[in-house]
Amino acid sequence: MKTYRAAVIGLSGIGTGKPAARQPYPVLGTAWPHSHVAAYHAYPGTEVVAVCDIKEAVLEQFAANWGGALPGAETYTDHRELLAAARPDVLSVVTSDHRHAQIVIDAAEAGVKAILCEKPIATTIAEAQRMIEVCARQGTALTVNHSRRWRPHWVQARALVGDGARLGPVKRIAGSWVGDRAMLFRNGGHLVDTVNWFAGAAPDWVTGILDGEHAGHPPRYAGDGGRDPATDPGGSGLVHYENDVRAFINCSKGATGGGVELEVFCERGHLRVDDVSAFIGSVPEGASSQLRSWTVVPAAVTSLGETPAAIAELIACVEEGRAPRYTAQEASRAPAVILGMLQSNANGHVPVRFPIVDV
C-alpha cells in the first residue's frame, strides 16, 4: 500500500486531539479517532508530515502531545510555507469557520490531490463556489467533514429511507440540535446537512425565524469563526425540497440537549435516529394508526468510520481518479440553507428561494 503524505492546517479542537493506541481497523465497540491528526495517524495509508497553526502556543502543545508519536512532523505558522515545503498529497483544513476558502484554494493550486475541509465549507456562497471551481479545475478531490456522513449507524439509517428502501420515500422531517452550542454555522451545519441528506433532493425554498436574542441578526454571517455562541445565532427554519419533502429545523440555545436528532416520516414507516441509536416505528397491520411498534436498528458492523472513513474516501478518489461520493457542491447546500434562514428572518420571515445569493 502506498503511503500518502498528510498535513493538517488548524490544530485547535477537532484538529489535533491526543495520541491513543494505534488501531488502524477498529472493531465494533472501539471508537474511531475523531480529530484529524489522530485519524491520519491511525489510517494505515497516510503519514502526518506537517501541521500548521497561526498560534505558537498551539504548536508547542502539539509537540508536547504528539512529539513521541509523530517525531517527523514539521510545524509551520504560515500555510503557504507548509504547502511549498511539505508538499502534502492529502490535506485537512480545520481553521475557523470563515477561514477555509483561501487555504483550500491555495492548496489546490499548489497541487494537493485531496482536501478534507471542516464544515461549513464556507460562510458565503461566493467563497464556496470559488473553492469548488478551483478544485475542479486543478483536479483536486474536495469533500467536507459533515461527520454524520461518515458515521456507520447514520449511513445505515439513511439506507432505510428513499425509493426502493424499507421505509419508502421520505415525506416529512423534523430535525433538532439544542443547547448552549446550538449555533447555526457551527453545530447547526451538521444538523442542516443531515436533514438535506435524508430529504434526498435539492432545497427549493426556506423560511427562518431566529431565537429571540438573535432577532436582529443581519442577513449574512457575522460570527467569530465558531468560538462565541453569542455571535452565531440559533433559530428555526422550514425547508421545502424539490421532491416536495418538507423539513422543520430546530437549532435553539433555549433548550437542553445536544447532537443531531431526526424524526423522519416515510411512506411505510417512521425513523427516529440520533447520535447513538436508531429506531423504526411502524403500525401493526389492522391496528390503530396511533399504535406504533418500535424496532431497534441493529448497530452497524464495519471496519471504518468517523474521520478515517472520510480519509479513506479521499484516498480512493486519488487512486481511482474520481470525485468524492459526497461532493463539495452537495455540502455547500448546508450553508446556503442557513444563509437563507438569516435572510428570511431579516425580511419578515418570508420564504427565500434557491439559488441563494449573498447579500
Side-chain angles (χ1 to χ4, degrees):
M1 177 183 290
K2 178 179 177 179
T3 298
Y4 291 88
R5 297 170 60 82
V8 176
I9 297 175
L11 299 179
S12 298
I14 192 178
T16 177
K18 292 183 178 180
R22 186 163 186 161
Q23 295 175 300
Y25 293 105
V27 296
L28 184 65
T30 302
W32 293 279
H34 187 54
S35 79
H36 290 252
V37 170
Y40 285 118
H41 179 57
Y43 188 73
T46 54
E47 175 190 7
V48 179
V49 297
V51 297
C52 177
D53 199 280
I54 60 173
K55 297 178 180 178
E56 291 283 2
V58 174
L59 292 173
E60 290 170 5
Q61 187 62 55
F62 170 83
N65 288 338
W66 285 95
L70 299 172
E74 299 290 339
T75 60
Y76 298 85
T77 55
D78 186 312
H79 75 272
R80 292 181 178 89
E81 291 181 8
L82 180 152
L83 294 171
R87 303 192 63 80
D89 300 306
V90 59
L91 175 73
S92 281
V93 177
V94 201
T95 53
S96 301
D97 295 349
H98 56 327
R99 303 294 188 198
H100 296 161
Q102 194 59 52
I103 298 171
V104 167
I105 289 167
D106 289 343
E109 291 180 339
V112 174
K113 299 173 183 176
I115 300 172
L116 177 58
C117 180
E118 263 303 324
K119 53 77 197 160
I121 183 173
T123 54
T124 70
I125 302 298
E127 284 186 331
Q129 289 308 307
R130 186 162 172 245
M131 294 161 72
I132 291 166
E133 290 165 4
V134 171
C135 286
R137 184 175 69 242
Q138 298 297 122
T140 301
L142 172 64
T143 194
V144 176
N145 196 28
H146 285 123
S147 55
R148 277 71 188 169
R149 301 271 183 163
W150 315 110
R151 294 184 181 178
H153 95 275
W154 278 100
V155 173
Q156 183 169 263
R158 177 61 179 82
L160 295 170
V161 305
D163 293 337
R166 175 176 174 178
L167 299 181
V170 174
K171 299 299 182 181
R172 301 290 184 267
I173 302 171
S176 292
W177 183 310
V178 297
D180 293 343
R181 298 287 293 177
M183 306 150 70
L184 279 170
F185 275 95
R186 173 55 49 143
N187 291 322
H190 285 303
L191 169 62
V192 173
D193 178 72
T194 306
V195 170
N196 288 346
W197 182 25
F198 277 73
D204 181 33
W205 55 259
V206 59
T207 61
I209 178 169
L210 300 185
D211 290 351
E213 65 268 32
H214 300 293
H217 194 279
R220 66 190 68 84
Y221 181 78
D224 66 351
R227 294 174 179 81
D228 183 1
T231 69
D232 191 346
S236 303
L238 176 65
V239 187
H240 182 266
Y241 294 86
E242 291 179 354
N243 58 358
D244 201 34
V245 170
R246 299 168 203 179
F248 173 68
I249 291 171
N250 177 47
C251 182
S252 177
K253 297 168 186 165
T256 300
V260 176
E261 301 178 52
L262 252 57
E263 299 273 357
V264 186
F265 302 91
C266 303
E267 192 175 85
R268 294 191 292 275
H270 173 191
L271 180 66
R272 178 177 293 166
V273 57
D274 58 29
D275 282 338
V276 296
S277 61
F279 297 86
I280 294 171
S282 57
V283 178
E285 187 174 350
S288 165
S289 62
Q290 295 179 347
L291 178 64
R292 280 203 182 94
S293 171
W294 290 97
T295 304
V296 176
V297 177
V301 179
T302 179
S303 63
L304 212 56
E306 272 280 358
T307 313
I311 293 169
E313 167 69 359
L314 286 174
I315 296 301
C317 291
V318 172
E319 294 183 343
E320 299 168 17
R322 62 171 175 83
R325 286 186 288 261
Y326 176 47
T327 65
Q329 189 67 54
E330 185 174 355
S332 72
R333 291 174 180 170
V337 167
I338 294 168
L339 288 166
M341 290 173 63
L342 300 187
Q343 293 175 21
S344 173
N345 179 80
N347 289 281
H349 317 299
V350 298
V352 177
R353 293 199 166 272
F354 284 72
I356 304 294
V357 296
D358 294 316
V359 298

